[in-house]
Amino acid sequence: MSFSEFCPKCGVQGVSFIADVKLECDHCCFVLYHNVAAAVAVIFTYKNKILFTVRNVNPDKGKLDLPGGFIDPNENATEAACREIREELGIEISENQLRYRTTAPNTYFYREVPYKTLDIFYECELNFDGVQVAAQDEIKALVWLEKSDINPEKIAFDSVKKVIQELYQWC
């Protein structure tokens, strides 16, 4: 973890960062816990295919990802998943269409700062494959891949690689 050596409250140099979790300033007694951020991802399936997004932003611009994003304050995970899908793909899904699958820890590097996340994965079966990109600033393209054709090297995040591999048994 790479944090500043200066206290964010009093500005004194020489803070301690303990076990990648707790920042302490001996001068002003400021304590900051670096807690995990919660994020959601939706695995859309159609027949034997999975929908991937192609990232249009860093981290991992150009790599495959799943639609989703961070959970906002005062929002539960399924609400966040439905909101993110509406924002990114322009389609309305309801919470009862989401099937909880699993969670996985991840590290999300944003502007050279590693954010620890807990990614919550849902699956949603679609009866069509005509999904379009709504958030072109975030998503370059959409790609439907047969489960047997997924290349883990092209996937952006370790949590997504791990979950897809565990759920769909590809190597």
Side-chain angles (χ1 to χ4, degrees), residues 78-115:
T78 54
E79 289 169 343
C82 292
R83 175 187 51 75
E84 286 287 344
I85 296 313
R86 184 173 53 257
E87 291 172 1
E88 293 185 357
L89 305 179
I91 61 174
E92 293 289 335
I93 59 170
S94 65
E95 293 180 47
N96 64 5
Q97 289 178 269
L98 296 172
R99 178 178 169 218
Y100 169 79
R101 293 308 307 249
T102 191
T103 62
N106 194 36
T107 303
Y108 184 87
F109 286 91
Y110 182 70
R111 296 186 179 179
E112 300 179 32
V113 176
Y115 292 87

Side-chain angles (χ1 to χ4, degrees), residues 49-54 64-65 141-145:
K49 296 185 256 183
I50 295 175
L51 179 67
F52 287 92
T53 63
V54 178
L64 299 176
D65 197 2
L142 300 175
V143 180
W144 285 99
L145 292 176

